[in-house]
Amino acid sequence: MSIVDAAVHPLVPDAAYAERLPNPWRLAMNLVPGPFGKLYEADVPDVGDPAAAGDEAALAHSVLTDDVDAALLLPRGRGLLPNPEHLAAVDRATNDWLHEQWLQPPADERWCGAIRLPVTDPVAAVAELERLAPVERFAAVLVPLRVHEPYGADRYLPIWEAAVANDLPVFVLDDLACAAELVRSPVGQPIHFAENDALRTLLPFVHLASLVTSGTLGRLPGLRLVFADGGADLAAPLLWRLDKDWRSGRVEIPWVEEPPSAIAWRHAAFVAQGQDGRPDGLSPSRELAQVSRSGEQVLYGSRRPGWDAVAPEDVLAVVPPGAAERVLSGNALDRLPRLRLSEEREEHP
């Protein structure tokens, strides 16, 4: 069975920024956090495979097995920097490094990449998207999960319009580093790693609710979203609640003409995380997999080289019977048309 790994997280070395950032930002690298941050730390190493974290060949060896037909690189950035110009420069350097090191010969042709966008400056974000969209091996764009406003806000609309115009899905990744530190929950700051890690899977719903109720998804039927840190099993019951509130309060958002869950599921999908679909944190639940639509809405992503990496069998344990092919490859191919084009080139050289 073929596999598309929809979430591989290469780590950009500091030396790559030193080579690619212009001044004054090169001189300000001491102000930029590392890729994992230090506000909340698990009692495990940041990466499960230290060799793969620092070496392209080792990461490729751990990801590109004989069964993997394609793998999407979602590079971890350096957080939401306070200065929008600084963030734009760091994201541009990240994208240049990814292009030069991973997406050009002699790199394996199965790699494709995502364009990191500096969302605090929508003009710069659109310019970066347009700069790299012509590079066919960039198959998606990548934005941070934690931002100053939910993604239904009007300021982000030009970014989503540009993504749709270029037929690129939007992946949303939780950057663990954050120089412009945000409160980590709607009611205050968690104290412990366990709290913060559990709450992060609620955040995709905040963006989904915002994108639906603002009318953004209604205006952009071609917008495809993939949340890269799990949460499909939590999104489903929260969307049921949103449906209930929509029915009783439609006068406030008359442009939403059908249940929010129907709109959300047309646009959104989730990369599986190790704890998804396990009510006790350990044992998979087929019933929960069914109600959370994991067969249609979940993509496999190894999350390598992180400590929370998963294998295909881990994900298949929490999806409905008969959904293996869709979860391991079909759902990704539906949302990443440039991967489909790559397959067609192989079949019809």
Side-chain angles (χ1 to χ4, degrees):
M1 185 178 298
S2 63
I3 296 174
V4 173
D5 188 336
V8 180
H9 302 307
L11 305 178
V12 188
D14 288 344
Y17 289 120
E19 294 170 3
R20 292 168 179 83
L21 280 174
N23 283 327
W25 312 122
R26 182 182 305 172
L27 300 175
M29 273 306 294
N30 63 315
L31 304 178
V32 176
F36 296 103
K38 292 298 177 186
L39 185 59
Y40 298 98
E41 293 192 75
D43 190 24
V44 293
D46 290 325
V47 295
D49 186 348
D55 181 81
E56 288 93 336
L59 183 56
H61 179 74
S62 70
V63 171
L64 297 178
T65 66
D66 291 341
D67 294 329
V68 174
D69 289 338
L72 180 63
L73 297 161
L74 306 177
R76 291 207 178 276
R78 297 305 176 95
L80 200 65
L81 303 176
N83 185 324
E85 293 182 9
H86 192 184
L87 178 60
V90 169
D91 279 354
R92 183 184 180 104
T94 301
N95 294 331
D96 287 344
W97 172 81
L98 190 71
H99 185 210
E100 294 162 12
Q101 296 295 119
W102 293 87
L103 305 181
Q104 297 188 103
D108 194 299
E109 292 184 355
R110 288 176 288 176
W111 291 125
C112 58
I115 307 165
R116 285 198 65 99
L117 299 182
V119 293
T120 54
D121 183 347
V123 172
V126 171
E128 185 67 359
L129 190 158
E130 298 289 355
R131 179 176 79 94
L132 292 173
V135 180
E136 190 172 319
R137 292 183 67 183
F138 277 112
V141 298
L142 180 60
V143 299
L145 177 67
R146 300 176 194 270
V147 286
H148 296 295
E149 291 181 276
Y151 277 139
D154 287 344
R155 63 179 297 174
Y156 302 116
L157 185 60
I159 301 175
W160 314 144
E161 290 174 333
V164 171
N166 288 278
D167 203 17
L168 292 170
V170 177
F171 276 67
V172 186
L173 176 67
D174 189 6
D175 282 328
L176 302 176
C178 211
E181 195 61 65
L182 305 175
V183 176
R184 296 300 183 100
S185 91
V187 295
Q189 195 80 337
I191 297 173
H192 307 105
F193 169 84
E195 297 171 77
N196 182 64
D197 195 56
L199 290 170
R200 70 194 297 210
T201 49
L202 293 172
L203 302 184
F205 173 75
V206 178
H207 288 307
L208 264 181
S210 174
L211 286 158
V212 170
T213 58
S214 68
T216 298
L217 296 184
R219 283 183 282 180
L220 297 173
L223 182 59
R224 301 183 302 277
L225 300 157
V226 180
F227 294 95
D229 296 284
D233 50 349
L234 293 180
L238 290 169
L239 285 169
W240 301 339
R241 177 64 62 88
L242 188 59
D243 284 351
K244 186 272 294 181
D245 290 335
W246 166 78
R247 291 187 180 94
S248 60
R250 292 180 64 179
V251 66
E252 183 186 18
I253 47 175
W255 48 83
V256 181
E257 298 178 345
E258 58 182 316
S261 62
I263 299 171
W265 290 134
R266 276 202 303 273
H267 291 266
F270 297 79
V271 174
Q273 196 178 40
Q275 57 262 50
D276 289 351
R278 291 173 164 83
D280 63 358
L282 297 172
S283 306
S285 165
R286 294 287 187 183
E287 293 79 11
L288 184 56
Q290 197 71 50
V291 300
S292 61
R293 299 172 56 98
S294 61
E296 299 86 24
Q297 311 300 145
V298 167
L299 285 62
Y300 167 67
S302 69
R303 306 171 65 82
R304 291 181 182 274
W307 65 269
D308 55 351
V310 296
E313 55 268 24
D314 299 326
V315 176
L316 295 183
V318 293
V319 302
E325 186 173 358
R326 291 212 53 78
V327 170
L328 292 184
S329 60
N331 290 337
L333 292 172
D334 285 348
R335 292 163 174 83
L336 292 154
R338 294 192 179 188
L339 295 188
R340 187 181 298 115
L341 290 174
S342 175
E343 282 197 337
E344 290 170 357
R345 284 199 304 274
E346 292 175 6
E347 295 172 4
H348 305 287

